[in-house]
Amino acid sequence: MIIKSISYKNIRNLKDDMLIPSESITVFTGENAQGKTNILESVHICCTGRSHRTSKDNEVIKIGKETAYIDIKCQKNDGIHRIEIGLKSQNKKAVSINGYPAKKLGELMGQINCVMFSPEDLSLIISGPQYRRKFIDIALSQVNPKYFYALQNYQKVLTQRNNLLKKLNFDNKYID
């Protein structure tokens, strides 16, 4: 997979621009707080639908703006893939895959693949196994979109089971 272009508008501290990376290796260098990680974050959002830094879309939008936009094109074996994401500070994000609106965020999985390591990922080593599981779940979801939907169903069933167990435990506590 080769990223052909990334366009972004109103993303954090980035100037509205289009970036055309090299087809071999692209290296971002510069001083702190110049936007290197923000470019990578934009790519990650197009791959997974989420920022690796925050769960709130409005934190990705430039201060003082209501909307932001990311457009990425990449070359894969089966042709050019295009992902467009529109972020709104108050509404759901709008996702378009190859010109067609996505009904579910899970449709992004496998369109453009990325594995991102950032300073925040030190939790993979330092913290508990839930961080490692989340990292692997994201990577597997990109390789096999069916895994993403199976994982969502599993988490839903697990939540229902845990709520039922809590309710049974609470009810039985007062029976004695």
Side-chain angles (χ1 to χ4, degrees), residues 1-35:
M1 181 191 87
I2 298 170
I3 294 176
K4 293 293 193 177
S5 68
I6 309 166
S7 298
Y8 38 83
K9 183 177 181 181
N10 297 334
I11 299 293
R12 296 194 186 264
N13 70 339
L14 295 174
K15 290 171 56 176
D16 299 349
D17 204 355
M18 176 196 257
L19 173 69
I20 300 174
S22 165
E23 290 200 12
S24 57
I25 295 175
T26 300
V27 178
F28 298 112
T29 62
E31 298 294 321
N32 287 341
Q34 298 303 303

PDB file of all heavy atoms in Angstrom, residues 1-35:
ATOM      1  N   MET A   1       0.840  -1.173   0.000  1.00  0.00           N
ATOM      2  CA  MET A   1       0.000   0.000   0.000  1.00  0.00           C
ATOM      3  C   MET A   1       0.893   1.247   0.000  1.00  0.00           C
ATOM      4  O   MET A   1       1.850   1.325   0.748  1.00  0.00           O
ATOM      5  CB  MET A   1      -0.882  -0.027   1.249  1.00  0.00           C
ATOM      6  CG  MET A   1      -1.807   1.146   1.328  1.00  0.00           C
ATOM      7  SD  MET A   1      -2.602   1.294   2.917  1.00  0.00           S
ATOM      8  CE  MET A   1      -1.393   2.233   3.782  1.00  0.00           C
ATOM      9  N   ILE A   2       0.558   2.186  -0.860  1.00  0.00           N
ATOM     10  CA  ILE A   2       1.311   3.438  -0.956  1.00  0.00           C
ATOM     11  C   ILE A   2       0.337   4.603  -0.840  1.00  0.00           C
ATOM     12  O   ILE A   2      -0.643   4.676  -1.593  1.00  0.00           O
ATOM     13  CB  ILE A   2       2.060   3.529  -2.299  1.00  0.00           C
ATOM     14  CG1 ILE A   2       3.075   2.394  -2.408  1.00  0.00           C
ATOM     15  CG2 ILE A   2       2.741   4.887  -2.439  1.00  0.00           C
ATOM     16  CD1 ILE A   2       3.694   2.268  -3.780  1.00  0.00           C
ATOM     17  N   ILE A   3       0.584   5.491   0.105  1.00  0.00           N
ATOM     18  CA  ILE A   3      -0.256   6.684   0.228  1.00  0.00           C
ATOM     19  C   ILE A   3       0.117   7.633  -0.899  1.00  0.00           C
ATOM     20  O   ILE A   3       1.275   8.014  -1.054  1.00  0.00           O
ATOM     21  CB  ILE A   3      -0.074   7.358   1.602  1.00  0.00           C
ATOM     22  CG1 ILE A   3      -0.595   6.430   2.696  1.00  0.00           C
ATOM     23  CG2 ILE A   3      -0.795   8.697   1.644  1.00  0.00           C
ATOM     24  CD1 ILE A   3      -0.384   6.940   4.100  1.00  0.00           C
ATOM     25  N   LYS A   4      -0.875   7.990  -1.706  1.00  0.00           N
ATOM     26  CA  LYS A   4      -0.659   8.894  -2.837  1.00  0.00           C
ATOM     27  C   LYS A   4      -0.804  10.360  -2.424  1.00  0.00           C
ATOM     28  O   LYS A   4      -0.059  11.213  -2.898  1.00  0.00           O
ATOM     29  CB  LYS A   4      -1.649   8.584  -3.974  1.00  0.00           C
ATOM     30  CG  LYS A   4      -1.419   7.249  -4.623  1.00  0.00           C
ATOM     31  CD  LYS A   4      -0.119   7.271  -5.355  1.00  0.00           C
ATOM     32  CE  LYS A   4       0.034   6.094  -6.280  1.00  0.00           C
ATOM     33  NZ  LYS A   4       1.269   6.163  -7.051  1.00  0.00           N
ATOM     34  N   SER A   5      -1.799  10.664  -1.572  1.00  0.00           N
ATOM     35  CA  SER A   5      -1.988  12.052  -1.125  1.00  0.00           C
ATOM     36  C   SER A   5      -2.822  12.091   0.146  1.00  0.00           C
ATOM     37  O   SER A   5      -3.623  11.192   0.408  1.00  0.00           O
ATOM     38  CB  SER A   5      -2.664  12.893  -2.208  1.00  0.00           C
ATOM     39  OG  SER A   5      -3.996  12.470  -2.392  1.00  0.00           O
ATOM     40  N   ILE A   6      -2.581  13.121   0.930  1.00  0.00           N
ATOM     41  CA  ILE A   6      -3.366  13.406   2.132  1.00  0.00           C
ATOM     42  C   ILE A   6      -3.717  14.889   2.073  1.00  0.00           C
ATOM     43  O   ILE A   6      -2.822  15.739   1.964  1.00  0.00           O
ATOM     44  CB  ILE A   6      -2.571  13.157   3.427  1.00  0.00           C
ATOM     45  CG1 ILE A   6      -1.924  11.787   3.434  1.00  0.00           C
ATOM     46  CG2 ILE A   6      -3.454  13.354   4.652  1.00  0.00           C
ATOM     47  CD1 ILE A   6      -0.870  11.622   4.508  1.00  0.00           C
ATOM     48  N   SER A   7      -5.002  15.189   2.132  1.00  0.00           N
ATOM     49  CA  SER A   7      -5.451  16.580   2.221  1.00  0.00           C
ATOM     50  C   SER A   7      -6.110  16.747   3.583  1.00  0.00           C
ATOM     51  O   SER A   7      -6.803  15.847   4.062  1.00  0.00           O
ATOM     52  CB  SER A   7      -6.482  16.898   1.133  1.00  0.00           C
ATOM     53  OG  SER A   7      -5.913  16.737  -0.136  1.00  0.00           O
ATOM     54  N   TYR A   8      -5.912  17.884   4.195  1.00  0.00           N
ATOM     55  CA  TYR A   8      -6.532  18.130   5.484  1.00  0.00           C
ATOM     56  C   TYR A   8      -6.890  19.603   5.605  1.00  0.00           C
ATOM     57  O   TYR A   8      -6.238  20.475   5.040  1.00  0.00           O
ATOM     58  CB  TYR A   8      -5.627  17.686   6.639  1.00  0.00           C
ATOM     59  CG  TYR A   8      -4.166  17.951   6.410  1.00  0.00           C
ATOM     60  CD1 TYR A   8      -3.614  19.198   6.677  1.00  0.00           C
ATOM     61  CD2 TYR A   8      -3.334  16.957   5.911  1.00  0.00           C
ATOM     62  CE1 TYR A   8      -2.277  19.449   6.450  1.00  0.00           C
ATOM     63  CE2 TYR A   8      -1.994  17.201   5.680  1.00  0.00           C
ATOM     64  CZ  TYR A   8      -1.468  18.449   5.960  1.00  0.00           C
ATOM     65  OH  TYR A   8      -0.145  18.695   5.733  1.00  0.00           O
ATOM     66  N   LYS A   9      -7.969  19.822   6.332  1.00  0.00           N
ATOM     67  CA  LYS A   9      -8.463  21.179   6.561  1.00  0.00           C
ATOM     68  C   LYS A   9      -8.934  21.273   8.007  1.00  0.00           C
ATOM     69  O   LYS A   9      -9.692  20.416   8.472  1.00  0.00           O
ATOM     70  CB  LYS A   9      -9.610  21.489   5.598  1.00  0.00           C
ATOM     71  CG  LYS A   9     -10.141  22.888   5.719  1.00  0.00           C
ATOM     72  CD  LYS A   9     -11.218  23.148   4.681  1.00  0.00           C
ATOM     73  CE  LYS A   9     -11.681  24.594   4.840  1.00  0.00           C
ATOM     74  NZ  LYS A   9     -12.717  24.940   3.918  1.00  0.00           N
ATOM     75  N   ASN A  10      -8.468  22.282   8.713  1.00  0.00           N
ATOM     76  CA  ASN A  10      -8.850  22.558  10.106  1.00  0.00           C
ATOM     77  C   ASN A  10      -8.504  21.423  11.069  1.00  0.00           C
ATOM     78  O   ASN A  10      -9.238  21.143  12.006  1.00  0.00           O
ATOM     79  CB  ASN A  10     -10.341  22.891  10.219  1.00  0.00           C
ATOM     80  CG  ASN A  10     -10.712  24.145   9.482  1.00  0.00           C
ATOM     81  OD1 ASN A  10      -9.889  25.026   9.285  1.00  0.00           O
ATOM     82  ND2 ASN A  10     -11.959  24.226   9.049  1.00  0.00           N
ATOM     83  N   ILE A  11      -7.375  20.763  10.828  1.00  0.00           N
ATOM     84  CA  ILE A  11      -6.906  19.712  11.731  1.00  0.00           C
ATOM     85  C   ILE A  11      -5.860  20.306  12.675  1.00  0.00           C
ATOM     86  O   ILE A  11      -4.812  20.782  12.231  1.00  0.00           O
ATOM     87  CB  ILE A  11      -6.275  18.535  10.940  1.00  0.00           C
ATOM     88  CG1 ILE A  11      -7.302  17.897  10.005  1.00  0.00           C
ATOM     89  CG2 ILE A  11      -5.666  17.507  11.882  1.00  0.00           C
ATOM     90  CD1 ILE A  11      -8.437  17.182  10.685  1.00  0.00           C
ATOM     91  N   ARG A  12      -6.189  20.325  13.960  1.00  0.00           N
ATOM     92  CA  ARG A  12      -5.309  20.818  15.029  1.00  0.00           C
ATOM     93  C   ARG A  12      -4.542  22.067  14.588  1.00  0.00           C
ATOM     94  O   ARG A  12      -5.138  23.044  14.198  1.00  0.00           O
ATOM     95  CB  ARG A  12      -4.404  19.706  15.519  1.00  0.00           C
ATOM     96  CG  ARG A  12      -5.185  18.567  16.178  1.00  0.00           C
ATOM     97  CD  ARG A  12      -4.279  17.662  16.946  1.00  0.00           C
ATOM     98  NE  ARG A  12      -4.949  16.494  17.466  1.00  0.00           N
ATOM     99  CZ  ARG A  12      -5.431  16.386  18.698  1.00  0.00           C
ATOM    100  NH1 ARG A  12      -5.312  17.383  19.538  1.00  0.00           N
ATOM    101  NH2 ARG A  12      -6.019  15.271  19.088  1.00  0.00           N
ATOM    102  N   ASN A  13      -3.202  22.011  14.624  1.00  0.00           N
ATOM    103  CA  ASN A  13      -2.414  23.199  14.277  1.00  0.00           C
ATOM    104  C   ASN A  13      -1.906  23.187  12.831  1.00  0.00           C
ATOM    105  O   ASN A  13      -1.092  24.022  12.453  1.00  0.00           O
ATOM    106  CB  ASN A  13      -1.219  23.347  15.234  1.00  0.00           C
ATOM    107  CG  ASN A  13      -0.155  22.287  15.012  1.00  0.00           C
ATOM    108  OD1 ASN A  13      -0.426  21.231  14.456  1.00  0.00           O
ATOM    109  ND2 ASN A  13       1.052  22.566  15.462  1.00  0.00           N
ATOM    110  N   LEU A  14      -2.393  22.254  12.014  1.00  0.00           N
ATOM    111  CA  LEU A  14      -1.917  22.159  10.632  1.00  0.00           C
ATOM    112  C   LEU A  14      -2.533  23.250   9.763  1.00  0.00           C
ATOM    113  O   LEU A  14      -3.713  23.566   9.890  1.00  0.00           O
ATOM    114  CB  LEU A  14      -2.282  20.794  10.038  1.00  0.00           C
ATOM    115  CG  LEU A  14      -1.628  19.572  10.663  1.00  0.00           C
ATOM    116  CD1 LEU A  14      -2.209  18.296  10.053  1.00  0.00           C
ATOM    117  CD2 LEU A  14      -0.128  19.605  10.499  1.00  0.00           C
ATOM    118  N   LYS A  15      -1.728  23.789   8.873  1.00  0.00           N
ATOM    119  CA  LYS A  15      -2.265  24.683   7.848  1.00  0.00           C
ATOM    120  C   LYS A  15      -2.998  23.814   6.834  1.00  0.00           C
ATOM    121  O   LYS A  15      -2.568  22.702   6.538  1.00  0.00           O
ATOM    122  CB  LYS A  15      -1.121  25.443   7.162  1.00  0.00           C
ATOM    123  CG  LYS A  15      -0.457  26.476   8.043  1.00  0.00           C
ATOM    124  CD  LYS A  15       0.808  27.066   7.446  1.00  0.00           C
ATOM    125  CE  LYS A  15       0.588  27.680   6.096  1.00  0.00           C
ATOM    126  NZ  LYS A  15       1.796  28.326   5.562  1.00  0.00           N
ATOM    127  N   ASP A  16      -4.116  24.307   6.321  1.00  0.00           N
ATOM    128  CA  ASP A  16      -4.856  23.553   5.309  1.00  0.00           C
ATOM    129  C   ASP A  16      -3.924  23.292   4.126  1.00  0.00           C
ATOM    130  O   ASP A  16      -3.331  24.224   3.584  1.00  0.00           O
ATOM    131  CB  ASP A  16      -6.084  24.331   4.852  1.00  0.00           C
ATOM    132  CG  ASP A  16      -7.055  24.596   5.996  1.00  0.00           C
ATOM    133  OD1 ASP A  16      -6.878  24.008   7.082  1.00  0.00           O
ATOM    134  OD2 ASP A  16      -7.983  25.387   5.803  1.00  0.00           O
ATOM    135  N   ASP A  17      -3.788  22.020   3.761  1.00  0.00           N
ATOM    136  CA  ASP A  17      -2.792  21.687   2.758  1.00  0.00           C
ATOM    137  C   ASP A  17      -3.056  20.309   2.183  1.00  0.00           C
ATOM    138  O   ASP A  17      -3.911  19.566   2.653  1.00  0.00           O
ATOM    139  CB  ASP A  17      -1.398  21.714   3.407  1.00  0.00           C
ATOM    140  CG  ASP A  17      -0.280  21.952   2.407  1.00  0.00           C
ATOM    141  OD1 ASP A  17      -0.544  22.015   1.190  1.00  0.00           O
ATOM    142  OD2 ASP A  17       0.873  22.062   2.849  1.00  0.00           O
ATOM    143  N   MET A  18      -2.287  19.972   1.158  1.00  0.00           N
ATOM    144  CA  MET A  18      -2.269  18.632   0.588  1.00  0.00           C
ATOM    145  C   MET A  18      -0.817  18.169   0.604  1.00  0.00           C
ATOM    146  O   MET A  18       0.083  18.903   0.222  1.00  0.00           O
ATOM    147  CB  MET A  18      -2.788  18.612  -0.844  1.00  0.00           C
ATOM    148  CG  MET A  18      -2.674  17.234  -1.473  1.00  0.00           C
ATOM    149  SD  MET A  18      -2.832  17.285  -3.249  1.00  0.00           S
ATOM    150  CE  MET A  18      -4.473  16.695  -3.438  1.00  0.00           C
ATOM    151  N   LEU A  19      -0.615  16.966   1.072  1.00  0.00           N
ATOM    152  CA  LEU A  19       0.717  16.381   1.164  1.00  0.00           C
ATOM    153  C   LEU A  19       0.782  15.207   0.195  1.00  0.00           C
ATOM    154  O   LEU A  19      -0.108  14.352   0.174  1.00  0.00           O
ATOM    155  CB  LEU A  19       0.962  15.910   2.603  1.00  0.00           C
ATOM    156  CG  LEU A  19       2.215  15.119   2.874  1.00  0.00           C
ATOM    157  CD1 LEU A  19       3.437  16.008   2.736  1.00  0.00           C
ATOM    158  CD2 LEU A  19       2.166  14.530   4.267  1.00  0.00           C
ATOM    159  N   ILE A  20       1.817  15.177  -0.623  1.00  0.00           N
ATOM    160  CA  ILE A  20       2.040  14.054  -1.535  1.00  0.00           C
ATOM    161  C   ILE A  20       3.351  13.390  -1.114  1.00  0.00           C
ATOM    162  O   ILE A  20       4.434  13.880  -1.429  1.00  0.00           O
ATOM    163  CB  ILE A  20       2.095  14.518  -3.008  1.00  0.00           C
ATOM    164  CG1 ILE A  20       0.772  15.190  -3.366  1.00  0.00           C
ATOM    165  CG2 ILE A  20       2.395  13.339  -3.921  1.00  0.00           C
ATOM    166  CD1 ILE A  20       0.732  15.810  -4.731  1.00  0.00           C
ATOM    167  N   PRO A  21       3.240  12.284  -0.350  1.00  0.00           N
ATOM    168  CA  PRO A  21       4.452  11.626   0.149  1.00  0.00           C
ATOM    169  C   PRO A  21       5.220  10.924  -0.962  1.00  0.00           C
ATOM    170  O   PRO A  21       4.672  10.620  -2.018  1.00  0.00           O
ATOM    171  CB  PRO A  21       3.927  10.603   1.150  1.00  0.00           C
ATOM    172  CG  PRO A  21       2.464  10.761   1.223  1.00  0.00           C
ATOM    173  CD  PRO A  21       2.034  11.655   0.113  1.00  0.00           C
ATOM    174  N   SER A  22       6.476  10.653  -0.688  1.00  0.00           N
ATOM    175  CA  SER A  22       7.315   9.882  -1.599  1.00  0.00           C
ATOM    176  C   SER A  22       6.769   8.463  -1.694  1.00  0.00           C
ATOM    177  O   SER A  22       6.166   7.956  -0.760  1.00  0.00           O
ATOM    178  CB  SER A  22       8.749   9.851  -1.061  1.00  0.00           C
ATOM    179  OG  SER A  22       9.492   8.853  -1.701  1.00  0.00           O
ATOM    180  N   GLU A  23       6.980   7.816  -2.826  1.00  0.00           N
ATOM    181  CA  GLU A  23       6.507   6.438  -2.977  1.00  0.00           C
ATOM    182  C   GLU A  23       7.400   5.446  -2.253  1.00  0.00           C
ATOM    183  O   GLU A  23       7.035   4.290  -2.089  1.00  0.00           O
ATOM    184  CB  GLU A  23       6.379   6.079  -4.457  1.00  0.00           C
ATOM    185  CG  GLU A  23       5.235   6.801  -5.110  1.00  0.00           C
ATOM    186  CD  GLU A  23       4.777   6.156  -6.395  1.00  0.00           C
ATOM    187  OE1 GLU A  23       5.179   5.014  -6.680  1.00  0.00           O
ATOM    188  OE2 GLU A  23       3.998   6.803  -7.104  1.00  0.00           O
ATOM    189  N   SER A  24       8.569   5.874  -1.806  1.00  0.00           N
ATOM    190  CA  SER A  24       9.431   4.949  -1.069  1.00  0.00           C
ATOM    191  C   SER A  24       9.296   5.214   0.432  1.00  0.00           C
ATOM    192  O   SER A  24       8.456   4.637   1.090  1.00  0.00           O
ATOM    193  CB  SER A  24      10.884   5.065  -1.539  1.00  0.00           C
ATOM    194  OG  SER A  24      11.338   6.406  -1.405  1.00  0.00           O
ATOM    195  N   ILE A  25      10.069   6.115   0.960  1.00  0.00           N
ATOM    196  CA  ILE A  25      10.043   6.408   2.394  1.00  0.00           C
ATOM    197  C   ILE A  25       9.845   7.902   2.591  1.00  0.00           C
ATOM    198  O   ILE A  25      10.485   8.718   1.922  1.00  0.00           O
ATOM    199  CB  ILE A  25      11.359   5.970   3.078  1.00  0.00           C
ATOM    200  CG1 ILE A  25      11.499   4.445   3.005  1.00  0.00           C
ATOM    201  CG2 ILE A  25      11.400   6.427   4.529  1.00  0.00           C
ATOM    202  CD1 ILE A  25      12.810   3.918   3.545  1.00  0.00           C
ATOM    203  N   THR A  26       8.963   8.238   3.501  1.00  0.00           N
ATOM    204  CA  THR A  26       8.739   9.638   3.853  1.00  0.00           C
ATOM    205  C   THR A  26       9.093   9.810   5.321  1.00  0.00           C
ATOM    206  O   THR A  26       8.654   9.030   6.173  1.00  0.00           O
ATOM    207  CB  THR A  26       7.273  10.040   3.630  1.00  0.00           C
ATOM    208  OG1 THR A  26       6.961   9.848   2.247  1.00  0.00           O
ATOM    209  CG2 THR A  26       7.031  11.485   4.009  1.00  0.00           C
ATOM    210  N   VAL A  27       9.899  10.812   5.614  1.00  0.00           N
ATOM    211  CA  VAL A  27      10.309  11.101   6.984  1.00  0.00           C
ATOM    212  C   VAL A  27       9.863  12.516   7.315  1.00  0.00           C
ATOM    213  O   VAL A  27      10.131  13.447   6.557  1.00  0.00           O
ATOM    214  CB  VAL A  27      11.855  10.981   7.146  1.00  0.00           C
ATOM    215  CG1 VAL A  27      12.279  11.342   8.558  1.00  0.00           C
ATOM    216  CG2 VAL A  27      12.320   9.584   6.775  1.00  0.00           C
ATOM    217  N   PHE A  28       9.162  12.661   8.441  1.00  0.00           N
ATOM    218  CA  PHE A  28       8.759  13.986   8.918  1.00  0.00           C
ATOM    219  C   PHE A  28       9.748  14.420   9.986  1.00  0.00           C
ATOM    220  O   PHE A  28       9.968  13.702  10.965  1.00  0.00           O
ATOM    221  CB  PHE A  28       7.349  13.947   9.522  1.00  0.00           C
ATOM    222  CG  PHE A  28       6.286  13.547   8.545  1.00  0.00           C
ATOM    223  CD1 PHE A  28       5.620  12.341   8.673  1.00  0.00           C
ATOM    224  CD2 PHE A  28       5.942  14.385   7.499  1.00  0.00           C
ATOM    225  CE1 PHE A  28       4.637  11.971   7.781  1.00  0.00           C
ATOM    226  CE2 PHE A  28       4.957  14.020   6.588  1.00  0.00           C
ATOM    227  CZ  PHE A  28       4.313  12.815   6.733  1.00  0.00           C
ATOM    228  N   THR A  29      10.349  15.573   9.771  1.00  0.00           N
ATOM    229  CA  THR A  29      11.271  16.121  10.773  1.00  0.00           C
ATOM    230  C   THR A  29      10.858  17.548  11.092  1.00  0.00           C
ATOM    231  O   THR A  29      10.185  18.202  10.297  1.00  0.00           O
ATOM    232  CB  THR A  29      12.724  16.115  10.266  1.00  0.00           C
ATOM    233  OG1 THR A  29      12.814  16.962   9.111  1.00  0.00           O
ATOM    234  CG2 THR A  29      13.185  14.719   9.912  1.00  0.00           C
ATOM    235  N   GLY A  30      11.270  18.011  12.244  1.00  0.00           N
ATOM    236  CA  GLY A  30      10.961  19.377  12.617  1.00  0.00           C
ATOM    237  C   GLY A  30      10.964  19.550  14.118  1.00  0.00           C
ATOM    238  O   GLY A  30      11.123  18.594  14.877  1.00  0.00           O
ATOM    239  N   GLU A  31      10.764  20.790  14.532  1.00  0.00           N
ATOM    240  CA  GLU A  31      10.714  21.114  15.949  1.00  0.00           C
ATOM    241  C   GLU A  31       9.447  20.532  16.566  1.00  0.00           C
ATOM    242  O   GLU A  31       8.515  20.139  15.872  1.00  0.00           O
ATOM    243  CB  GLU A  31      10.725  22.644  16.137  1.00  0.00           C
ATOM    244  CG  GLU A  31      11.987  23.320  15.612  1.00  0.00           C
ATOM    245  CD  GLU A  31      13.227  22.925  16.382  1.00  0.00           C
ATOM    246  OE1 GLU A  31      13.158  22.781  17.618  1.00  0.00           O
ATOM    247  OE2 GLU A  31      14.287  22.742  15.740  1.00  0.00           O
ATOM    248  N   ASN A  32       9.413  20.540  17.894  1.00  0.00           N
ATOM    249  CA  ASN A  32       8.213  20.108  18.606  1.00  0.00           C
ATOM    250  C   ASN A  32       7.047  21.033  18.274  1.00  0.00           C
ATOM    251  O   ASN A  32       7.235  22.219  18.015  1.00  0.00           O
ATOM    252  CB  ASN A  32       8.458  20.121  20.120  1.00  0.00           C
ATOM    253  CG  ASN A  32       9.365  18.983  20.549  1.00  0.00           C
ATOM    254  OD1 ASN A  32       9.531  18.007  19.833  1.00  0.00           O
ATOM    255  ND2 ASN A  32       9.938  19.110  21.727  1.00  0.00           N
ATOM    256  N   ALA A  33       5.849  20.470  18.302  1.00  0.00           N
ATOM    257  CA  ALA A  33       4.590  21.213  18.115  1.00  0.00           C
ATOM    258  C   ALA A  33       4.473  21.853  16.733  1.00  0.00           C
ATOM    259  O   ALA A  33       3.842  22.882  16.576  1.00  0.00           O
ATOM    260  CB  ALA A  33       4.422  22.265  19.214  1.00  0.00           C
ATOM    261  N   GLN A  34       5.057  21.218  15.716  1.00  0.00           N
ATOM    262  CA  GLN A  34       4.953  21.740  14.359  1.00  0.00           C
ATOM    263  C   GLN A  34       3.937  20.979  13.515  1.00  0.00           C
ATOM    264  O   GLN A  34       3.663  21.368  12.396  1.00  0.00           O
ATOM    265  CB  GLN A  34       6.326  21.710  13.669  1.00  0.00           C
ATOM    266  CG  GLN A  34       7.364  22.569  14.370  1.00  0.00           C
ATOM    267  CD  GLN A  34       6.921  24.016  14.480  1.00  0.00           C
ATOM    268  OE1 GLN A  34       6.638  24.656  13.480  1.00  0.00           O
ATOM    269  NE2 GLN A  34       6.846  24.532  15.699  1.00  0.00           N
ATOM    270  N   GLY A  35       3.392  19.862  14.046  1.00  0.00           N
ATOM    271  CA  GLY A  35       2.332  19.154  13.338  1.00  0.00           C
ATOM    272  C   GLY A  35       2.697  17.789  12.778  1.00  0.00           C
ATOM    273  O   GLY A  35       1.879  17.183  12.084  1.00  0.00           O
TER     274      GLY A  35
END
